């Protein structure tokens, strides 16, 4: 029953991503709100359903994106794996873990996207992609990561309340 909350949260994040967040650009980069939210969700101590959230996010984002869905499966599940690993190891500095996961996740998603588009025949210069898309996207993802972490922490306290945990 606690996993039902994922549907409206992720659906809202994907709708916001496709309508509003993608219009907030810095150079040619934009934030990836669904990625930031699942990274923040996976870093919460009480959360047991991070993999389910990643699968649902892959389904929703793969549906609206023109990139192959395997990019999001590899990227988002990799982000969950990194977040769960860091959550066990860097437990005293949760924002440091959030910044690390968002940093690595943004780079992984962008490298997968660049590699796929290069294989499909789109002529991109790696240096231009890095300076005009990846680094601005990284900055915007970092800016969105602080409120996203706070929101997901409060949501995890609400969903996994103390009475349910005992």
């Amino acid at each position: 029953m606690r996993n039902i909350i994922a549907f409206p949260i992720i659906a809202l994040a994907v709708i916001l991503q496709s309508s509003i967040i993608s219009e907030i650009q810095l150079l040619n980069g934009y934030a990836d709100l669904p990625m930031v939210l699942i990274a923040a969700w996976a870093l919460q101590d009480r959360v047991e359903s991070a993999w389910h959230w990643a699968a649902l996010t892959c389904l929703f984002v793969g549906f609206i994106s023109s990139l192959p869905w395997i990019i999001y499966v590899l990227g988002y599940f990799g982000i969950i794996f990194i977040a769960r690993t860091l959550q066990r190891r860097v437990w005293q500095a949760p924002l440091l873990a959030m910044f690390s996961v968002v940093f690595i996740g943004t780079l992984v998603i962008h490298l997968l996207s660049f590699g796929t588009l290069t294989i499909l025949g789109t002529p991109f210069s790696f240096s231009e992609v890095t300076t005009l898309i990846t680094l601005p996207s990284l900055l915007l993802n970092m800016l969105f990561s602080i409120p996203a972490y706070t929101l997901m922490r409060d949501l995890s306290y609400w969903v996994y309340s103390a009475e349910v945990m005992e």
Side-chain angles (χ1 to χ4, degrees), residues 46-155:
R46 301 175 176 206
V47 169
E48 303 164 358
S49 61
W51 297 101
H52 303 115
W53 281 55
L56 188 62
T57 306
C58 290
L59 181 71
F60 285 173
V61 173
F63 181 71
I64 66 162
S65 176
S66 60
L67 287 172
W69 60 272
I70 194 70
I71 290 173
Y72 297 108
V73 170
L74 293 174
Y76 289 168
F77 279 102
I79 289 166
I80 298 298
F81 176 75
I82 293 167
R84 298 307 275 180
T85 303
L86 282 177
Q87 187 253 342
R88 287 188 295 252
R89 305 216 189 269
V90 191
W91 58 272
Q92 291 182 351
L95 278 179
L96 176 64
M98 180 67 185
F99 288 144
S100 301
V101 170
V102 167
F103 182 83
I104 294 169
T106 302
L107 293 180
V108 166
I109 296 275
H110 281 247
L111 280 175
L112 289 170
S113 301
F114 177 76
T116 302
L117 291 174
T118 302
I119 290 170
L120 293 176
T122 307
F124 285 129
S125 166
F126 185 74
S127 63
E128 288 180 3
V129 167
T130 303
T131 57
L132 295 176
I133 299 172
T134 302
L135 292 178
S137 296
L138 186 60
L139 177 64
L140 289 172
N141 284 341
M142 292 290 186
L143 289 174
F144 278 110
S145 66
I146 296 171
Y149 183 82
T150 305
L151 175 74
M152 290 294 123
R153 186 189 64 213
D154 292 345
L155 184 66

